[in-house]
Amino acid sequence: MKKLSAAFGALPMTWPVVCAFAAIIGIYVGIINQIPTLYDTSFRDIAVTYEWWVLFAVLIVSNCKSAREAGMKCLVFFLISQPIIYLVELPTLGWDKALYYYLRIWLPISLLTLPGGAVAFFAKKQNVLGAVILGIGNTIVALMGVSYFLKLCSAFPRHLLTVISCASIIVVLILGMQKRWKTRILSAVTTVLLTAGVIIWAVLNERVI
């Protein structure tokens, strides 16, 4: 448990480390997406869904010394990793699709990580604010898990590993970021309540999660 907590507060996330981290993740995901035999397996789902980016981004952010540094390093991480993914996928996607997906979807999302990373910086605070912010972040992962669980129910075992990874990442973030059981419980409760609230809203408004 102590080693887990140390990872979210003691790892040296210098600029070279962040850039290297982003490049490795980009190459890995890009290569996985090019393996035809894994195209319809849950293993590929893990590589291309967003929950792992949440974990990587939080790991970087939690090892920064200020909200400004956290926002900048989170932004750089996404600005490097995403183009690399599309460059690796270029033989399959082609320039038109690669530019469309990146410019219309991932570039705007990447720019939002600047303020997002700054806010996420406070998730490591050992108080109510930190626990709630962490709970909000975990809600994003939880909703992804719920979405894939619904798909899993009709296409087992596809998406099974993705559902497991979502749950695992939430547990890792709570235990790693918060060191006191009171704030851990508060963060978990926040995640459950917000996730339930979004699901209820989606059902009442006939929206897809």
Side-chain angles (χ1 to χ4, degrees):
M1 192 70 69
K2 292 182 179 180
K3 291 182 179 180
L4 178 60
S5 297
F8 291 89
L11 293 179
M13 284 294 172
T14 61
W15 282 107
V17 172
V18 172
C19 293
F21 196 19
I24 292 171
I25 295 301
I27 294 172
Y28 167 75
V29 175
I31 291 175
I32 290 295
N33 290 351
Q34 300 304 299
I35 302 177
T37 57
L38 296 177
Y39 189 85
D40 291 321
T41 68
S42 55
F43 180 74
R44 180 180 183 274
D45 295 333
I46 288 183
V48 298
T49 51
Y50 310 118
E51 70 273 10
W52 286 104
W53 269 272
V54 175
L55 179 60
F56 297 143
V58 171
L59 185 61
I60 292 173
V61 167
S62 63
N63 286 279
C64 293
K65 296 181 180 180
S66 68
R68 179 181 179 182
E69 179 189 0
M72 289 299 297
K73 287 186 176 179
C74 192
L75 173 64
V76 169
F77 172 74
F78 276 83
L79 286 179
I80 293 176
S81 62
Q82 288 302 323
I84 290 177
I85 292 174
Y86 287 112
L87 285 175
V88 175
E89 292 184 341
L90 199 58
T92 301
L93 289 178
W95 280 106
D96 291 341
K97 287 185 178 180
L99 289 174
Y100 175 82
Y101 289 141
Y102 180 69
L103 295 177
R104 296 293 297 273
I105 300 175
W106 278 108
L107 180 57
I109 291 177
S110 296
L111 295 177
L112 289 175
T113 62
L114 177 60
V119 173
F121 171 79
F122 296 99
K124 67 178 181 179
K125 300 295 183 181
Q126 305 302 308
N127 52 29
V128 173
L129 176 63
V132 171
I133 291 177
L134 180 59
I136 294 173
N138 279 337
T139 299
I140 298 173
V141 181
L143 289 172
M144 284 187 258
V146 171
S147 176
Y148 281 106
F149 177 77
L150 295 175
K151 296 176 182 178
L152 170 66
C153 292
S154 60
F156 184 86
R158 180 171 167 78
H159 305 303
L160 175 61
L161 293 179
T162 300
V163 173
I164 294 174
S165 71
C166 285
S168 300
I169 286 173
I170 291 173
V171 173
V172 168
L173 288 178
I174 290 177
L175 296 180
M177 294 287 284
Q178 294 297 320
K179 297 177 176 58
R180 296 185 299 173
W181 280 105
K182 288 184 178 180
T183 52
R184 286 173 176 173
I185 292 173
L186 176 58
S187 183
V189 170
T190 301
T191 301
V192 171
L193 292 178
L194 288 177
T195 302
V198 173
I199 293 174
I200 293 172
W201 175 85
V203 171
L204 293 177
N205 290 275
E206 299 181 349
R207 298 294 181 89
V208 178
I209 297 177

